[in-house]
Amino acid sequence: MSELSHRRRLLVLAICCMSLLIVSLDNTVLNVALPSLQRELHASVSGLQWTIDAYTLVLASLLMLSGSTADRLGRRRVFTVGLTVFSLGSLLCSLAPSLTWLVVFRMVQAVGGSMLNPVAMSIITNTFTEPRARARAIGVWGGVVGISMAAGPVIGGLLVESVGWRSIFWINVPIGALALFLTLRYVPESRAPRPRRPDPVGQLLVIALLGALTYAIIEAPGTGWLSAEILTFTAVALAALAALIGYERRRREPLIDLRFFHSVPFSGATVTAVCAFASLAGFLFLNTLYLQDIRGRSALEAGLYMLPMAGMTLVCAPLSGRLVGNRGPRLPLLLAGCAMGASGLMFAAFDAESTTALLFTGYVLFGIGFGLVNAPITNTAVSGMPRAQAGVAAAVASTSRQVGSSLGVAVIGAVLAGGVRTAGPGGAAAAADFVAAARPAWWIIAGCGAAVLLLGALTTGVRARTTARRTAALFDGETVPGVARSGAGR
């Protein structure tokens, strides 16, 4: 793939970005539609959480399997299957007769979505082999997230107001069909020279861990944190984690190669992804409910309110890609942590909801931070690993994002559900209740920003770069040029 013409490489990048667009649009559009969905399907806060987390849980559980399967069976083949299943799942979601069926169809979507982002990133990694070109391509990739954040709330608001919440799933179908046609025509097939074997035991343990943990967090406010049900699911999650670590350490070709985590930059990128995307998911969940249920804004107005955040993400994502390519990930990570932490602090300590000016300032700061954080996460995750294992490495990074999103919605939703009292929408009592209940959640978001800042400082130094080089050498003695420059800065 490295011998493709420049024009065709750009076309491959565009196709991969289309797949990211439909996955990202699906999340941002759905957030705007939550209040309408809640009213029509009579959903509780935990029901809303499950419409989001059923998707992210299945996605997180299958990403590494999809990445390794693509390395083994062919990346284009798996990518085309993913586009087909995701588009079909979107159509089924639009026809869901109840909340239960919507959750089921969201899981179908997630099966297809698991075959898109990590496989697309593997295709990009094997197409753009020069470190700076790859960093810039990843910057464009990150910019698509900004586009989806900018367009998603507005498109979602227009569709919900004019047609209804079901229409938000329709937009994935034509985009998915076009991406499928272009993939079959222009994307060449590629495989890893020595792909990994399937690991069904590891896969089942990952599903048990993520499913049990998320269930315990979401359902705890309703059943009690110390109830037998929640304690049982917590115990299952802990047992699955212990078994997963023990089993994967002994397996020759594990689902999760723990040697990846010998690299401090890779480990830092994984934890940073969890923190950043937990912060984003919680941020969107809180603000969507606040703007529509408390301020009484329509879905379209709520989408327009979110534009300052989305616009800054759109601007800063490609800028971050260039910074990573030229100077490494340290600077964008530090700036991202500062901006995201400051945004959370504004809501937690200074009641940013009290005025529109403060509200928009908090949105702008968060958009800057999130726009800067994505490119260094992705670049660090894939740059220090052999290209033969690019699918697995990219899948670990993508899994970390989805785990963060699941935990963000679960934890923030649980904190909110535990503190909000029933009151009429838009009333002073409702607003006061919501702001008070959301304050601990905003402190969690501020803490996530602080964690990004700390990790950026600790995982991008000289010693960290040394561990990245040593880790690359562990994989069949293969050396990876440019680890220091593209993986950890210079």
Side-chain angles (χ1 to χ4, degrees), residues 263 384-386 467-480 483:
S263 167
M385 303 298 162
T467 66
R469 289 192 292 269
R470 290 175 179 171
T471 301
L474 291 175
F475 293 88
D476 300 326
E478 181 178 353
T479 59
V480 183
V483 168

Side-chain angles (χ1 to χ4, degrees), residues 431-451:
D433 282 350
F434 189 96
V435 170
R439 187 166 288 114
W442 283 115
W443 279 114
I444 294 172
I445 291 174
C448 288

Side-chain angles (χ1 to χ4, degrees), residues 123-154:
I123 292 172
I124 290 173
T125 302
N126 282 270
T127 300
F128 296 87
T129 56
E130 196 275 322
R132 288 193 178 183
R134 181 172 57 234
R136 289 171 181 168
I138 291 172
V140 174
W141 168 271
V144 174
V145 177
I147 294 172
S148 69
M149 289 181 65
V154 178

